Amino acid sequence: MSGPAHGVVDLGVLGFEEGAHLLLNRALAGLPPGAELAVVGSAPALEVHLAVWCRQEGHRWAPREGTAGPERGRVIRGRADVDRWAGAERAGGPTPAGIVRRPARHWGLAARGALVEPGGPDLAADLDDRDVVWADLAPRLYAHAASAQWDPATAVAWDSEFSLPGEIEKAVVQVMTYLVENEQAALVIPARLLARVHPHFREVLQLLAVQAADEARHIEVFTRRALLRGGELGTSSAGGRSSLASLLSEPDFSLASFLLSVLGEGSFLSLLSFLDRYAPDPVTRQVARLARQDEARHVAFGVAHLEHQAALDPGLRSRLRSAVERRHDSLRDTAGLNADVFDALVILAAGEWTPRAIAEGHRRVRRLHADMDEGRRRRLVRLGFPEDEAAELSALHTRNFM
């Protein structure tokens, strides 16, 4: 060793088994490659550990000459750590303003805004285009979703005292069975999409995760209401399951969001409002009302996402139209809405078994169909479809509601 050191680090009695490398790294961080850092310390095996550590970290160790003075030797700073980060890049910025259009596959699971070391494995996330998955409303919707979570055990007054005639209870159970079936499809779809979205778009991931959690919660409360009085679940029609299967087979993110959230869950907003209005007991009313609050958020994201994409892709509306027509054609020979579900809705809307009440219940269910159609047309117009085309596409929507 000759000449003055460029810096000195005093480790005291601290050894490498206790974290001495932290103080060394801190002292070396401000020095250029080739600079010498004098090391002072009294740990017994310090020089041995320093020699090993320097080899591991790409520095050189120069032990002291002679025995005079407190200095144990010098670390000549290498450049391995500098070279390691050569070519590193920021994964955009941490806020939504820092989102890039096409995040690199090799960014992988790095936090948005992190400095990404080169050489990591590519992430198998095919939904990696901002214009395919993003909506400016996503951060606010996620914040609202996170704050609006409710506990099925406490949000519903399961111990409410009520007594229903057996046929009315059976109608409630049939509707709940139908809702569970549809909500299971509504859970699987965002869960599948979630695994395909690049983590760079984390607000979309978070929103899809909460959406899946919402649907899981809906399945729980609808099942619990169906079994509340000890009966068996209702029927599941082949046509209804075929309708839902056609949703599960759509691989395109935007088309899946359109068919599920804008058309299907949009129609369910009307259905849940209908159940809130005509529920024969307080528990049924509560679960319908709570589920509707969540579904409204799902519909809002679907519409916002498609509005964002429609502004960038003039051909989107043609693709949306084709998706509706393709699904309609695939379901042309199915029976549509389970007849047991339709009859159950009429019974609930009637409220009693007189001919006049049943006729009124039937009119109310027909009005429900009209309300669903009106809501679909309104959302289609918002996405840029002319009124006549919106009406035509809404009429092609599955008779199974979802």
Side-chain angles (χ1 to χ4, degrees):
M1 291 180 290
S2 61
H6 296 85
V8 179
V9 59
D10 188 347
L11 300 179
V13 298
L14 188 67
F16 273 82
E17 69 278 10
E18 299 172 309
H21 69 284
L22 295 173
L23 295 182
L24 284 163
N25 281 329
R26 182 170 182 264
L28 289 168
L31 300 180
E36 296 184 8
L37 176 70
V39 181
V40 175
S42 59
L46 183 59
E47 292 182 34
V48 174
H49 291 164
L50 275 165
V52 173
W53 180 79
C54 284
R55 284 197 300 272
Q56 289 176 337
E57 299 299 317
H59 307 301
R60 284 195 303 115
W61 169 241
R64 66 182 173 181
E65 298 172 356
T67 59
E71 186 176 323
R72 304 290 291 270
R74 295 186 180 183
V75 175
I76 295 88
R77 197 198 197 293
R79 57 175 306 111
D81 59 332
V82 177
D83 292 341
R84 174 186 174 186
W85 294 99
E89 57 187 328
R90 290 284 172 189
T95 69
I99 288 175
V100 303
R101 180 185 173 187
R102 296 296 296 269
R105 293 283 182 93
H106 68 263
W107 289 358
L109 297 172
R112 194 170 67 216
L115 183 64
V116 181
E117 179 185 5
D122 286 355
L123 183 69
D126 62 300
L127 296 176
D128 59 354
D129 188 330
R130 177 193 60 202
D131 297 341
V132 171
V133 303
W134 185 250
D136 291 335
L137 194 60
R140 281 178 289 158
L141 281 176
Y142 170 68
H144 177 268
S147 66
Q149 296 300 290
W150 45 273
D151 182 354
T154 58
V156 179
W158 298 107
D159 56 355
S160 297
E161 294 185 7
F162 67 89
S163 178
L164 300 179
E167 292 164 312
I168 302 298
E169 177 65 20
K170 183 178 179 181
V172 172
V173 169
Q174 179 59 62
V175 172
M176 293 296 119
T177 303
Y178 166 78
L179 291 175
V180 169
E181 184 173 276
N182 283 266
E183 295 291 60
Q184 289 184 154
L187 185 157
V188 170
I189 292 169
R192 285 181 172 179
L193 295 174
L194 174 64
R196 296 171 54 200
V197 175
H198 196 295
H200 184 73
F201 309 109
R202 68 166 185 263
E203 292 85 355
V204 175
L205 286 183
Q206 292 166 322
L207 199 54
L208 289 173
V210 174
Q211 183 171 336
D214 288 343
E215 306 299 3
R217 193 167 56 240
H218 299 171
I219 292 168
E220 177 182 347
V221 296
F222 293 149
T223 302
R224 188 166 175 176
R225 172 59 190 94
L227 301 176
L228 193 60
R229 291 296 182 259
E232 294 182 326
L233 291 178
T235 62
S236 169
S237 69
R241 296 196 306 280
S242 295
S243 178
L244 296 176
S246 69
L247 287 176
L248 298 178
S249 64
E250 178 54 69
D252 185 278
F253 181 87
S254 295
L255 299 185
S257 297
F258 175 63
L259 295 174
L260 173 65
S261 298
V262 178
L263 298 181
E265 291 181 308
S267 298
F268 260 54
L269 292 180
S270 298
L271 176 59
L272 293 168
S273 293
F274 179 93
L275 294 175
D276 183 6
R277 185 178 306 118
Y278 298 115
D281 64 87
V283 174
T284 300
R285 182 172 299 109
Q286 279 185 298
V287 297
R289 190 172 297 172
L290 287 166
R292 190 185 188 285
Q293 293 172 4
D294 295 335
E295 298 293 351
R297 191 169 54 248
H298 306 169
V299 174
F301 173 65
V303 172
H305 158 67
L306 291 165
E307 282 184 313
H308 172 86
Q309 193 174 2
L312 301 169
D313 179 8
L316 176 65
R317 279 181 284 275
S318 176
R319 291 171 53 220
L320 297 180
R321 180 184 181 92
S322 295
V324 173
E325 293 172 340
R326 185 167 60 248
R327 188 177 184 215
H328 175 266
D329 290 343
S330 72
L331 298 173
R332 187 185 300 275
D333 296 328
T334 63
L337 183 66
N338 183 351
D340 292 339
V341 176
F342 182 91
D343 291 348
L345 292 173
V346 171
I347 291 169
L348 295 182
E352 57 182 72
W353 287 97
T354 65
R356 181 173 181 176
I358 293 297
E360 180 60 25
H362 198 277
R363 281 192 293 272
R364 287 170 175 169
V365 174
R366 290 299 180 194
R367 180 64 241 177
L368 168 62
H369 283 264
D371 289 343
M372 290 178 171
D373 176 63
E374 181 182 342
R376 290 192 298 268
R377 286 189 285 112
R378 185 173 62 252
R379 285 183 286 276
L380 288 166
V381 168
R382 184 172 167 182
L383 295 179
F385 288 97
E387 292 275 1
D388 57 343
E389 191 173 359
E392 179 185 352
L393 290 177
S394 178
L396 294 178
H397 183 64
T398 174
R399 290 166 292 174
N400 190 50
F401 299 165
M402 182 72 84

